[in-house]
Amino acid sequence: MLRNRKRYLVYGGMFGLMFVSYLDRVNLSVAAGPIAKAYGLDPIAIGYLLSAYLWTYLLFLIPLGMLVDRWGARRVTAGSMAIWSVGGALTGVAAGFAAMLGSRMVLGAGEAAGYPAGSRVIRDWAPRSERGTAAAWLNGGAYAGPAIGAITVGWIVSEFGWRESFLVAGGAGLLIAVLWYALYRTPERAAWLGEQERSVILAERDPTPPRTRASARPLASLAVLLRSRTMWGLALTQGCAGYTLYLFMSWLPTYLASSRGLDVLKSAAFTAVPYAAAAVLGLVLGRVSDGLLRSGRLAAGGRRTIVSICMLLSSVILLTPFVSATWLILVLFSISLTCVSTAMAMNIALTNDLLADGERSGVAVSVLIFGGNSFGVLAPIVTGYAVAATGGFSVAFAIAGLLLLVGTTLILTLTRRPIDAPATTRGRTAPVATHAVDARR
């Protein structure tokens, strides 16, 4: 019943936060053509500009994950969102390439809290048997943002100019930051939550008391995580998937414009198609993953099986150089982006599944996303050099596809044990289901 599903309002809130975050990211991608023309930038310079926010994103990711574990998702999320919104707006008033580069770095510093805070919200609000669904809502916003944002930004750029698109997106982010701080509470403190649903959430999430030693000693938690082979496997897998994500996010509008002869508005509309597919189908696949785990059919392999299948399917991007029809290109991109979206969302859920101590969730997901973005930071730059050297995108798509195949292997071979289990359990393989889901439910 709806009255016992009010936690979905929180999932919707996470969706909205990531929507705005990725709207700010794709804004530059859509406006890249007019900006390149305004400042006389070549593909290599644009590649560095598209990558700039990831430099500070990586720098602040783990520290902000520690703050999430120490202070909770409410304050850190609102503050970081205000910072990234200001950074996005500053891009719209930048007077030159250097100023624009600086504004993107401000954006990246603020956005670093997004996924660690979202993971903490999932840990606080989602019953163990519903983590895949919650993670899909979190990740869905990251694809709905570019889907709707690409069209909206394309229209604003066409009608008013590229500077105005950054100012509008920045203002929207500041408004949502205020709303999040005013409305978000944990299940224990949410006055609007019914007692029956509160009891279900608290009973079915991991039985870790608030503010344990893990949250009080974030550096010790980080040391434990970095000694884990499983944590490294999860982070490297996220990196292999993240490369493709950032290839799309940075260069898809430019690819469509240059290879298909489209103007800004049309290339933005076509860019929206794969993101819309990923946003909708990602939510469906997240729900399916929870259903499969509950039924016990994936109990032996857990979510890692879903991650590996999605990574493998996403590698259809390797076929791009052999396809000429625009509609078929969009089909391939939709399959690849939907599957890479689902793989990354399920990898977040898998990370939480494999944690013995939930108070390490913020730091653990920071390490995970650090791995994803360490590869992602290279995608815009490597693609810029590849396009400049070859005059096309075939090499760029080949690199992305091969990394997806590598990620498929890593997730199946390196994530067979709990992340932070006591030493006495490290010699045994522990399937995900024993940590995340009771297969009898």
Side-chain angles (χ1 to χ4, degrees):
M1 298 176 65
L2 182 60
R3 66 183 180 184
N4 292 325
R5 292 288 188 273
K6 289 185 177 179
R7 61 187 177 275
Y8 277 79
L9 295 173
V10 177
Y11 301 167
M14 294 191 301
F15 183 97
L17 290 172
M18 299 310 293
F19 179 97
V20 175
S21 172
Y22 277 75
L23 168 62
D24 284 329
R25 298 188 194 192
V26 80
N27 199 335
L28 181 61
S29 302
V30 174
I35 290 173
K37 186 178 296 184
Y39 292 111
L41 304 178
D42 62 15
I44 294 174
I46 289 293
Y48 278 103
L49 190 59
L50 289 167
S51 175
Y53 80 93
L54 284 170
W55 306 343
T56 46
Y57 187 102
L58 287 171
L59 183 64
F60 285 90
L61 188 58
I62 291 176
L64 284 176
M66 293 177 179
L67 287 182
V68 168
D69 284 342
R70 177 67 68 88
W71 291 349
R74 181 182 175 226
R75 286 184 289 175
V76 177
T77 299
S80 64
M81 191 173 191
I83 292 171
W84 91 55
S85 298
V86 169
L90 287 174
T91 305
V93 298
F97 179 79
M100 190 170 292
L101 203 68
S103 72
R104 302 306 289 177
M105 293 172 72
V106 174
L107 175 83
E111 291 202 341
Y115 273 106
S119 175
R120 185 53 187 260
V121 172
I122 291 171
R123 195 82 190 198
D124 288 340
W125 275 92
R128 290 187 296 276
S129 58
E130 203 173 82
R131 281 190 190 143
T133 299
W137 276 87
L138 172 69
N139 219 40
Y143 295 85
I148 298 174
I151 298 174
T152 304
V153 170
W155 177 78
I156 293 174
V157 171
S158 298
E159 294 294 322
F160 303 101
W162 61 267
R163 293 186 183 276
E164 286 76 5
S165 67
F166 291 99
L167 296 174
V168 170
L174 287 172
L175 175 61
I176 293 180
V178 172
L179 291 174
W180 178 267
Y181 186 80
L183 299 176
Y184 178 77
R185 299 294 186 276
T186 60
E188 293 88 341
R189 298 183 178 183
W192 48 267
L193 188 65
E195 287 303 320
Q196 182 179 354
E197 185 175 4
R198 193 192 321 273
S199 298
V200 169
I201 293 170
L202 298 181
E204 294 191 24
R205 73 183 188 186
D206 294 298
T208 304
R211 299 298 167 261
T212 63
R213 286 178 295 176
S215 62
R217 299 175 57 194
L219 289 177
S221 293
L222 178 61
V224 170
L225 297 173
L226 292 180
R227 288 196 298 267
S228 169
R229 169 178 161 172
T230 295
M231 189 73 252
W232 281 95
L234 292 164
L236 290 171
T237 299
Q238 197 80 354
C240 292
Y243 187 94
T244 295
L245 170 63
Y246 284 107
L247 169 60
F248 280 125
M249 190 171 300
S250 302
W251 284 100
L252 181 55
T254 301
Y255 165 77
L256 291 171
S258 63
S259 66
R260 305 294 155 179
L262 305 177
D263 60 23
V264 171
L265 191 57
K266 287 183 179 179
S267 65
F270 281 20
T271 294
V273 173
Y275 284 104
V280 175
L281 295 176
L283 292 174
V284 173
L285 291 174
R287 189 64 180 265
V288 168
S289 77
D290 285 335
L292 289 171
L293 284 167
R294 279 196 296 271
S295 72
R297 281 176 286 177
L298 290 180
R303 292 186 216 272
R304 71 172 64 85
T305 305
I306 299 172
V307 174
S308 65
I309 292 172
C310 288
M311 295 280 285
L312 186 61
L313 290 175
S314 186
S315 66
V316 296
I317 195 175
L318 287 167
L319 301 176
T320 303
F322 307 103
V323 175
S324 57
T326 300
W327 70 269
L328 191 52
I329 289 284
L330 292 178
V331 169
L332 289 178
F333 286 172
S334 296
I335 294 171
S336 184
L337 200 55
T338 296
C339 290
V340 84
S341 161
T342 303
M344 295 178 79
M346 293 306 102
N347 213 26
I348 293 172
L350 178 58
T351 301
N352 270 317
D353 291 343
L354 291 172
L355 279 172
D357 186 348
E359 289 297 302
R360 292 190 173 110
S361 178
V363 179
V365 173
S366 292
V367 174
L368 180 78
I369 303 302
F370 187 95
N373 287 278
S374 295
F375 285 52
V377 72
L378 297 174
I381 299 172
V382 171
T383 303
Y385 278 106
V387 171
T390 65
F393 285 80
S394 296
V395 172
F397 290 131
I399 294 170
L402 291 174
L403 282 173
L404 289 165
L405 295 177
V406 171
T408 303
T409 303
L410 292 174
I411 196 67
L412 290 174
T413 57
L414 296 182
T415 64
R416 310 303 300 185
R417 300 173 182 175
I419 295 172
D420 55 351
T424 54
T425 67
R426 290 194 179 274
R428 300 192 299 270
T429 298
V432 173
T434 63
H435 295 272
V437 178
D438 184 343
R440 296 170 295 179
R441 289 186 182 277

